[in-house]
Amino acid sequence: MATAMTDAHRMFLQSIMTHGALKAREVKALYKKCCETFNRPVEHENLGKFVNEINHHVGPFSMMIQKGVSEEDGVQYYALVNMMESDVTRLASDYTETELEFFKKVLDLIVDSDTGVASSTDILNLTDQLYEEQNRKMKKKEAEDVIRRMVRDRWLNEHQGEISLSVRGILELKPYLTEHYKDDIRQCCLCDQIALKGQLCQSDSCDAKMHYFCANRYFRDKDQPSCPRCKADWDHMVVSQGANGHSQTEETPASQTQGRRRKMPSRH
């Protein structure tokens, strides 16, 4: 028999919805707060059960709390995901049609890059492309505001002028990404999650890719790293987390500052 939806469940769900995405440690603290607020025993080992109880009730509405990993630092997040809508139109309540078309072009830039990021300069120049291709007018100042709001809403990340897709963006837009970029999107060969940021196997006959943090764990104790898929030599890029939580390369061979360039089929 399914557990009834309690006030503790509702408080937890509302907070996830409000924040868009929360780190695992924040979710544990939220769970504790919800339990204490409504005099429920705090049993951290039952957090997964607590989340599953919520998913049982929101599932019929095509919603589900899912876990994902940040490509920035490997930290686990929780987010409420709409399982039905597969397009970026799920953002329509917060963004205009023109802003969503602009966002689609931002996604094009991010996915088409080897690094999983797009420079703010290139993104702002998309306003010209938007006008030429769709006759949609957007000033660069307006584009800056859209990016700022999407970072605030945790759809995008911004670091030193570079824009990338956040863990919330990857989780919620996974159906759109895998369908629209089916020839471009790769999954990490170690964790099986979408890998926009990461290392590529240098063999032309292998399409293996892995997140930096997955590669660090996998190659940590290996003297002669090789691709887990094709066994070709893997010139491992050592990445550590800086004080700000962003990846920093410590010992990067000059030949490895860029991944193997992949050929991009036209989508338009």
Side-chain angles (χ1 to χ4, degrees), residues 31-32 35 40-50:
Y31 170 65
K32 181 174 183 290
C35 289
R40 179 185 176 118
V42 180
E43 300 170 332
H44 288 295
E45 66 274 12
N46 287 332
L47 172 59
K49 178 183 177 183
F50 184 82

Side-chain angles (χ1 to χ4, degrees), residues 163-181:
I163 306 298
S164 59
L165 199 56
S166 71
V167 63
R168 180 193 185 186
I170 292 175
L171 274 176
E172 293 217 42
L173 297 177
K174 184 177 180 179
Y176 175 80
L177 293 171
T178 53
E179 177 182 338
H180 193 67
Y181 304 103

